[in-house]
Amino acid sequence: VVKEFQEEYYCRVALVVDTFIPRRRRPPPGGWPQLEAVVSLSAAVADAMSRGEYLIDIFAAGPQLYVFRGGRHTAHFDSILEILACVDACRTDPFETLAPALAEELPNLSTVICVLTDWDQPRRELVRSAVEAGADVKLVVVRDGPTRLPVEAETAWAGEVNVLAPRDVLRGAVEAL
């Protein structure tokens, strides 16, 4: 009888959820469609990842920073959904808090998936640090209208950037990323 050792490797994925809504914007009746779309899309990504051989770390930037390390079980996915249900619009840019928390984990991550509300310098620096750390990066910006910085120029180093309208996400028109 021979027992063969086979090392198991699980990809560790960070899901960065951006909930920043600038102070100058007034809340529309019924809430923020952009925030709802970001949370909904993040939940769909977490669901897809939880079905595979992935360990998911969620970094939800809201009025407070939520960091959760999940495993491969349904209970962990339920915890991710609970966190996403708790996030609210953040009226001050949370990336000064989020970037250091993510930077600590970058050496252990294989992939970083960012679901962002805009593309600006703080978000660009966060993504640049993930790329420089050797992580694969998937960028999704959920936004009506143009981003603060043009995303087209970033594809050379950051890869494909998906810009989605909140209404498309909310009506289920996004089938693949």
Side-chain angles (χ1 to χ4, degrees):
V1 175
V2 176
K3 184 175 182 180
E4 185 176 327
F5 174 75
Q6 180 179 349
E7 187 173 346
E8 292 186 7
Y9 175 76
Y10 298 105
C11 292
R12 200 161 156 214
V13 177
L15 175 59
V16 177
V17 183
D18 182 8
T19 62
F20 177 59
I21 305 290
R23 287 185 191 267
R24 68 182 181 277
R25 291 180 53 194
R26 289 204 161 87
W32 302 102
Q34 183 182 22
L35 178 63
E36 293 300 322
V38 165
V39 170
S40 178
L41 188 61
S42 298
V45 168
D47 179 43
M49 301 302 284
S50 70
R51 296 171 195 246
E53 298 294 320
Y54 303 100
L55 301 174
I56 304 169
D57 293 3
I58 187 165
F59 294 83
Q64 59 184 348
L65 178 64
Y66 295 93
V67 178
F68 175 77
R69 288 171 184 85
R72 302 177 309 137
H73 305 290
T74 306
H76 295 293
F77 177 63
D78 290 343
S79 297
I80 290 172
L81 291 180
E82 287 175 16
I83 289 169
L84 291 174
C86 291
V87 297
D88 199 5
C90 184
R91 305 301 279 188
T92 58
D93 197 345
F95 277 78
E96 288 180 16
T97 306
L98 188 140
L102 181 65
E104 286 181 26
E105 297 299 324
L106 281 175
N108 304 318
L109 298 170
S110 57
T111 304
V112 177
I113 301 170
C114 298
V115 183
L116 306 174
T117 58
D118 199 355
W119 184 250
D120 58 8
Q121 195 59 36
R123 285 151 185 81
R124 186 177 191 274
E125 289 172 11
L126 178 125
V127 171
R128 170 84 65 187
S129 66
V131 169
E132 289 174 355
D136 291 327
V137 176
K138 180 68 174 177
L139 290 173
V140 181
V141 179
V142 179
R143 183 172 184 84
D144 278 324
T147 55
R148 282 192 224 166
L149 294 178
V151 294
E152 296 78 23
E154 310 299 342
T155 58
W157 62 270
E160 181 183 357
V161 180
N162 295 294
V163 180
L164 305 172
R167 68 184 165 281
D168 291 340
V169 174
L170 293 174
R171 65 183 173 110
V174 179
E175 295 182 15
L177 295 177

